[in-house]
Amino acid sequence: MPEELQERTEQATPRRREKARQKGEVPRSRELTGIAGTWMIFLYFVFSKEFITSAILHIKESFIRVKNPDFISGAILQSLRQEMKWFFILFAPAGAVLVFGVLIVHFIQTGFLFTGAPLVPDLSRIDPIKGIKKYFSLNALFETVKGILKILALGFVIYIVLKKDVNILPLIIDMDVKTIADISFQKIFQLVLACLIMLTVFAGIDFAYQRWQYERNLRMTRQELKEEFKETEGSPLVRARIRSLQREMARRRMMQEVPKADVVITNPLHIAVCIKYDPQEMNAPEVVAKGANILAERIKELARHAGVPIYENKPLARALYRIPIGQEIPETLYKAVATILAAVYRIKGRQVA
């Protein structure tokens, strides 16, 4: 079955996630980043109300001095410098707070990520067919529904906030400027706060959707999973070859131990087991080499050339063959092996420990 027709039913592997991250593909919500910056600006103006008021008053005084007919024309430049300074004092912190908030939220979403992959030209991005498909995709549907709900929710929030203050509007005519300003700022604060809370809810929904969409796009077909496994672990033929080489190397190391053995016990045609015992280094005799059929014949041939005694004992040979190479024999075989070793030592003139 062609890969494009296969269902993506498998969870993304860590390698696929890492590849996507290297391309700059990470789950992120632009709405969440935007609303975070808006919150930072809002909080800045709320907690810096007195500072902002002071800066505005200084700017106002500068304009008043410039309009004064008695104002010296040569001092206009200095006054403009003062105004620019206060403009900078007023808006520079707001810009810094905005950038800080956006960067923090972006880092929380994506972590530390620096890649130039998105900057590489990609002709598929200007494919008209793919462009048309985007307008009929699940993502387009989600954005459309979200936009409609957002407009309805904003209208509802504005209605709820201003509904109870409709009766106050006719009374504003009789109020002084300070009272009107206080009421206006209060209502603007309530309205902006309510809208921000509502938009934050939508941003959270958008972030959850973006994560779900990201995981959905990362899912793999069974064929992709198999191909990745081949890339990471190697093809079955390569792995089999590696295992074959490893067995060959282990066999060569084992055969090098045959001339160092004290005795070879056989059954006698199919099995050969080499036993070695050094009382100063071992607690019990060890199996240092073993083999069956052709390998058994090779072991016996090496033993003959090295002068290692060969003893025939079918039950003992079968029992010793089950013991892994390099492991001491069990206590149940001590007596049988000790009898053979004693005979070997008598021939060689050694003493049994």
Side-chain angles (χ1 to χ4, degrees), residues 1-59:
M1 180 184 293
E3 187 173 315
E4 59 270 14
L5 299 180
Q6 296 185 31
E7 292 187 8
R8 297 181 177 275
T9 57
E10 307 301 319
Q11 292 291 338
T13 61
R15 186 167 183 265
R16 184 178 179 88
R17 293 179 185 277
E18 183 61 27
K19 279 187 174 181
R21 185 173 178 81
Q22 290 173 358
K23 295 177 182 178
E25 298 174 3
V26 290
R28 59 179 177 270
S29 169
R30 292 185 177 88
E31 285 204 20
L32 191 62
T33 304
I35 199 66
T38 309
W39 268 109
M40 297 301 288
I41 293 294
F42 176 74
L43 294 175
Y44 166 73
F45 280 104
V46 169
F47 291 105
S48 305
K49 182 179 179 181
E50 295 182 0
F51 168 73
I52 295 170
T53 304
S54 175
I56 293 174
L57 289 175
H58 278 87
I59 295 172

Side-chain angles (χ1 to χ4, degrees), residues 49-157:
K49 182 179 179 181
E50 295 182 0
F51 168 73
I52 295 170
T53 304
S54 175
I56 293 174
L57 289 175
H58 278 87
I59 295 172
K60 180 182 178 182
E61 290 175 2
S62 297
F63 277 113
I64 292 173
R65 286 198 300 271
V66 172
K67 288 182 178 181
N68 193 337
D70 299 328
F71 191 74
I72 302 173
S73 59
I76 292 178
L77 184 58
Q78 182 179 357
S79 179
L80 290 175
R81 287 175 180 173
Q82 289 294 324
E83 291 174 11
M84 292 300 295
K85 183 187 76 171
W86 282 106
F87 268 114
F88 179 79
I89 292 174
L90 178 61
F91 292 106
V97 167
L98 172 63
V99 172
F100 177 76
V102 169
L103 289 178
I104 288 296
V105 174
H106 181 77
F107 181 79
I108 291 174
Q109 291 187 82
T110 64
F112 182 77
L113 177 63
F114 181 79
T115 176
L119 302 178
V120 177
D122 186 1
L123 296 179
S124 64
R125 296 176 184 174
I126 58 176
D127 186 347
I129 297 177
K130 289 186 177 180
I132 294 173
K133 286 182 178 180
K134 288 182 179 179
Y135 289 105
F136 301 95
S137 63
L138 178 62
N139 191 54
L141 177 62
F142 172 78
E143 292 296 332
T144 302
V145 174
K146 183 183 66 175
I148 294 172
L149 292 177
K150 192 183 296 185
I151 293 173
L152 295 175
L154 276 173
F156 179 74
V157 167

Side-chain angles (χ1 to χ4, degrees), residues 254 257 273-276 282 284-290 320 323-329:
M254 181 187 71
E257 296 296 322
V273 181
C274 299
I275 300 296
K276 182 179 180 180
M282 304 175 183
E286 289 183 2
V287 174
V288 295
K290 65 179 181 179
L320 291 173
I323 302 172
I325 296 173
Q327 185 172 314
E328 297 179 351
I329 65 174

Side-chain angles (χ1 to χ4, degrees), residues 257-328:
E257 296 296 322
V258 174
K260 304 174 185 178
D262 291 322
V263 65
V264 176
I265 301 174
T266 68
N267 74 340
L269 298 177
H270 304 295
I271 295 174
V273 181
C274 299
I275 300 296
K276 182 179 180 180
Y277 180 51
D278 187 345
Q280 297 180 351
E281 298 180 0
M282 304 175 183
N283 296 321
E286 289 183 2
V287 174
V288 295
K290 65 179 181 179
N293 301 323
I294 297 176
L295 189 57
E297 293 298 325
R298 178 61 179 159
I299 289 174
K300 288 187 285 185
E301 182 181 348
L302 289 175
R304 293 190 189 97
H305 284 293
V308 178
I310 299 176
Y311 277 78
E312 178 184 338
N313 188 322
K314 294 182 181 179
L316 182 58
R318 294 193 185 98
L320 291 173
Y321 189 76
R322 300 189 186 99
I323 302 172
I325 296 173
Q327 185 172 314
E328 297 179 351

